[in-house]
Amino acid sequence: MSEHQVNKPAGPWTQSIRLAFYALYALTLLAAASWLFSNIRQIPADSRAVVLHFGAQQRVAEAGLLLTWPKPIDDVVMVPAPDRVIEHHVTALLRSADAQRGDDSSDALAGSGYLLTGDAGVVQLDISVFYRVVTPMAYVLQGEHVMPALDRLVQRAAIAVCASRDLDTILVARPEMVSGDSNVAQQRERLRADVQHNIEQNLQRLALAGSPLGITLERVTVQSTLPETTVTAFNAVLTASQQASQAIATANTDASLIRQKSTQLADQLRQTAQAQAQEKVAKAQSDTAMVNRLAGSHNDPDLLARVYRERIAAILAQAESVVTVSPQDDANLILQAAGKKEPSKP
């Protein structure tokens, strides 16, 4: 074999295969390096990282640079920092979309979003919970079950609290009945605290049972409302009560005016009657003055004769004719008859 044949340059296909091999080798090195450093990351200040080594819990890394083996050797799950408060709105207590559209063909839809109170009333609660992750390992272990479990705990607490209260201790539904009851107002203010306490007790029970969620409650907000139909009915009752109160106030005002006028009229009649009585008494006393004088004339026997002489003339002056008969003469007899006739003689 000649030297020219040994140093013969490679053909285009050989060069292409060689370049392709080098490129594939470089890509393999890049992919290996990318895979090797894939779990090297920066943990934000409001988060922590839970490192799982072949699926087993290994450690919890705080904020900063995290160096771990790549997947599937190590798996990194980001969780909130312990001082980060997370809000969760419990939508399970709200009415479903089918119920809001008015599809009440089933009992489940008809009662969707409603809670029964201790006095067989109906109320709606809109609850939001604020929590912190205190046990990252337990939080990661529960994973996607944390929020459904928290929803069920909130539902259970809401049902228990509503069942232990009547409607007036949950919200102001009938202010005309409990406006002055301070105990009811205090129970209404303790509603949120009782819901939170019930949820915390259930979280502790889960932890004691070996299934902790890894969270703790910070606070709970509760907004209580009535169904629209109930609000309409209560508004009608409140309007009727206000109208009745207004009618009673008007009747009391009219009664006061009538009583005042009656009192004035009675006083006027009493004063008039007293004045007339005094006049009649004075007139009677004047008319009977002479009789009283005569009744008390035992010491003056000639008083009756003097009075007779004073008044007989006035009395006889009013008569048409006067016939006198001597008391000692009984020969004449005067007979009363119809018409004017002369006295007859026997």
mmCIF file of all heavy atoms in Angstrom, residues 86 176 247 271 277:
data_model
loop_
_atom_site.group_PDB
_atom_site.id
_atom_site.type_symbol
_atom_site.label_atom_id
_atom_site.label_comp_id
_atom_site.label_asym_id
_atom_site.label_seq_id
_atom_site.Cartn_x
_atom_site.Cartn_y
_atom_site.Cartn_z
ATOM 1 N N ILE A 86 -51.220 32.856 54.952
ATOM 2 C CA ILE A 86 -51.893 32.516 53.689
ATOM 3 C C ILE A 86 -53.393 32.566 53.908
ATOM 4 O O ILE A 86 -53.899 32.053 54.915
ATOM 5 C CB ILE A 86 -51.468 31.126 53.201
ATOM 6 C CG1 ILE A 86 -49.937 31.045 53.108
ATOM 7 C CG2 ILE A 86 -52.094 30.807 51.851
ATOM 8 C CD1 ILE A 86 -49.424 29.653 52.850
ATOM 9 N N GLU A 176 -86.019 44.267 66.028
ATOM 10 C CA GLU A 176 -87.071 44.752 66.910
ATOM 11 C C GLU A 176 -87.307 43.826 68.087
ATOM 12 O O GLU A 176 -87.936 44.217 69.074
ATOM 13 C CB GLU A 176 -88.376 44.903 66.126
ATOM 14 C CG GLU A 176 -89.051 43.597 65.708
ATOM 15 C CD GLU A 176 -88.417 42.936 64.504
ATOM 16 O OE1 GLU A 176 -87.464 43.515 63.948
ATOM 17 O OE2 GLU A 176 -88.860 41.841 64.109
ATOM 18 N N ALA A 247 -98.282 53.346 63.476
ATOM 19 C CA ALA A 247 -99.719 53.478 63.725
ATOM 20 C C ALA A 247 -100.010 53.569 65.228
ATOM 21 O O ALA A 247 -100.853 54.356 65.671
ATOM 22 C CB ALA A 247 -100.463 52.297 63.115
ATOM 23 N N GLN A 271 -116.298 73.571 86.298
ATOM 24 C CA GLN A 271 -116.298 74.960 86.748
ATOM 25 C C GLN A 271 -117.657 75.613 86.518
ATOM 26 O O GLN A 271 -118.170 76.345 87.382
ATOM 27 C CB GLN A 271 -115.197 75.743 86.019
ATOM 28 C CG GLN A 271 -113.782 75.315 86.381
ATOM 29 C CD GLN A 271 -112.734 76.013 85.546
ATOM 30 O OE1 GLN A 271 -113.074 76.825 84.671
ATOM 31 N NE2 GLN A 271 -111.470 75.710 85.816
ATOM 32 N N ALA A 277 -124.113 75.955 90.505
ATOM 33 C CA ALA A 277 -124.541 75.455 91.812
ATOM 34 C C ALA A 277 -124.459 76.547 92.862
ATOM 35 O O ALA A 277 -125.350 76.686 93.725
ATOM 36 C CB ALA A 277 -123.676 74.251 92.207
#
